[in-house]
Amino acid sequence: MQMLNFKRPIFIMLALLFTTLTISSCSKDDNETNNEGGVHLKAKIGSKDHNFNNVRARWIEGGAYLEITGITTSGEALSITVLNNAGKRVPVGKYILDDATDFDILSTYHTMENGIQKNFSASTETVWNDAFELEITKQNNTYVEGKFSGTLVIGAGLTTLQTITVENGSFSTPIGNE
């Protein structure tokens, strides 16, 4: 069993805070896209295909973080954040949860089920059975695209309470700044 490693709790807490602030500050009318021109964030999450229509990406800390978020018209939200611990801009490449590189990943999925909000996540160095792969295939100062997949979890203590799979994920979106 993997033990908790407290080397990076600040990253995880900051990324969750950024994600929460981003998701809670968005409304359907706020910069909503219609997926024309290739702008999209989509994935099969659990057994349901999702096409997030409010898609954003942004550089944080001069590019040391890249955050990609999307919200559906029903309020479900997905966020993917990659952090370069070396403090440099996140480049094109493949990123895997819990590998031995300078890159950390946090992915979250928020949904409502029977009136209860469920928050699934996968993050670097947790004890739960989470997994996540992100591949950035194209990127420059103002645009990013790529693909992703993984297993997100709801956990408590050392226990995985629930998992959900993310398959065939892809994104293409302009990048804003912090």
Coordinates of all heavy atoms in Angstrom, one line a residue, residues 43-46 78 107 109 132 148-152 164-169:
A43 N -15.2 13.7 -22.9 CA -14.7 12.5 -22.4 C -15.9 11.6 -22.1 O -17.0 12.1 -21.9 CB -13.8 12.6 -21.2
K44 N -15.6 10.3 -22.1 CA -16.6 9.4 -21.5 C -16.3 9.2 -20.1 O -15.2 8.7 -19.7 CB -16.6 8.0 -22.3 CG -17.6 7.0 -21.8 CD -17.5 5.7 -22.5 CE -18.6 4.8 -22.0 NZ -18.5 3.5 -22.7
I45 N -17.2 9.6 -19.2 CA -17.0 9.5 -17.8 C -18.0 8.6 -17.2 O -19.2 8.8 -17.3 CB -17.0 10.9 -17.1 CG1 -16.0 11.9 -17.7 CG2 -16.8 10.8 -15.6 CD1 -16.1 13.3 -17.2
G46 N -17.5 7.5 -16.6 CA -18.4 6.4 -16.2 C -19.0 5.8 -17.5 O -18.2 5.5 -18.4
L78 N -15.2 19.4 -15.0 CA -14.0 18.6 -15.1 C -12.8 19.6 -15.2 O -12.9 20.6 -15.9 CB -14.0 17.8 -16.4 CG -12.7 16.9 -16.7 CD1 -12.6 15.8 -15.6 CD2 -12.7 16.3 -18.1
S107 N -6.5 16.0 -11.3 CA -7.7 16.0 -12.1 C -8.9 15.9 -11.2 O -8.9 15.0 -10.3 CB -7.7 14.9 -13.1 OG -8.8 14.9 -13.9
Y109 N -13.4 15.9 -11.0 CA -14.7 15.8 -11.7 C -15.8 16.0 -10.7 O -15.8 15.3 -9.7 CB -14.9 14.4 -12.4 CG -16.3 14.2 -13.0 CD1 -16.8 15.0 -14.0 CD2 -17.0 13.1 -12.4 CE1 -18.1 14.7 -14.4 CE2 -18.3 12.9 -12.9 CZ -18.8 13.7 -13.9 OH -20.1 13.4 -14.4
F132 N -4.1 8.6 -13.8 CA -4.4 9.6 -14.8 C -3.2 9.8 -15.8 O -2.1 9.8 -15.3 CB -4.7 10.9 -14.1 CG -5.6 11.8 -15.0 CD1 -6.9 11.7 -15.1 CD2 -5.0 12.8 -15.8 CE1 -7.7 12.5 -15.9 CE2 -5.7 13.6 -16.6 CZ -7.1 13.5 -16.7
F148 N -6.6 12.6 -22.8 CA -6.4 12.2 -21.4 C -7.3 11.0 -21.1 O -8.3 10.7 -21.8 CB -6.7 13.3 -20.4 CG -8.1 13.9 -20.6 CD1 -9.1 13.4 -19.8 CD2 -8.4 14.9 -21.5 CE1 -10.4 13.9 -19.9 CE2 -9.6 15.4 -21.6 CZ -10.7 14.9 -20.8
S149 N -7.0 10.3 -20.0 CA -7.8 9.2 -19.5 C -7.4 8.9 -18.1 O -6.3 9.3 -17.7 CB -7.6 7.9 -20.4 OG -6.3 7.5 -20.4
G150 N -8.2 8.1 -17.4 CA -7.8 7.7 -16.0 C -8.9 7.2 -15.2 O -10.0 6.9 -15.7
T151 N -8.6 7.1 -13.9 CA -9.5 6.6 -12.9 C -9.5 7.7 -11.8 O -8.5 7.9 -11.2 CB -9.2 5.2 -12.3 OG1 -9.1 4.3 -13.4 CG2 -10.2 4.8 -11.3
L152 N -10.7 8.3 -11.5 CA -10.8 9.3 -10.5 C -11.5 8.6 -9.3 O -12.3 7.7 -9.5 CB -11.6 10.5 -11.0 CG -11.1 11.1 -12.3 CD1 -11.9 12.4 -12.6 CD2 -9.6 11.5 -12.2
I164 N -14.5 6.2 -10.7 CA -15.2 6.5 -11.9 C -14.1 6.5 -13.0 O -13.0 7.1 -12.8 CB -16.0 7.8 -11.9 CG1 -17.0 7.8 -13.1 CG2 -15.2 9.0 -11.8 CD1 -18.1 8.8 -12.9
T165 N -14.3 5.9 -14.1 CA -13.3 5.9 -15.2 C -13.6 7.1 -16.2 O -14.7 7.5 -16.4 CB -13.4 4.6 -16.0 OG1 -14.7 4.5 -16.6 CG2 -13.0 3.4 -15.2
V166 N -12.5 7.6 -16.7 CA -12.5 8.6 -17.7 C -11.8 8.1 -18.9 O -10.6 7.7 -18.8 CB -11.7 9.9 -17.2 CG1 -11.7 11.0 -18.3 CG2 -12.4 10.4 -15.9
E167 N -12.5 8.0 -20.1 CA -12.0 7.4 -21.3 C -12.1 8.3 -22.5 O -13.0 9.2 -22.5 CB -12.7 6.1 -21.6 CG -12.6 5.1 -20.5 CD -13.5 3.9 -20.8 OE1 -14.8 4.1 -20.8 OE2 -13.0 2.8 -21.0
N168 N -11.2 8.2 -23.4 CA -11.3 8.9 -24.7 C -11.4 10.4 -24.5 O -12.1 11.1 -25.3 CB -12.5 8.4 -25.6 CG -12.4 6.9 -25.8 OD1 -11.3 6.4 -26.1 ND2 -13.5 6.2 -25.7
G169 N -10.8 11.0 -23.5 CA -10.8 12.4 -23.3 C -10.0 13.2 -24.3 O -8.9 12.7 -24.7

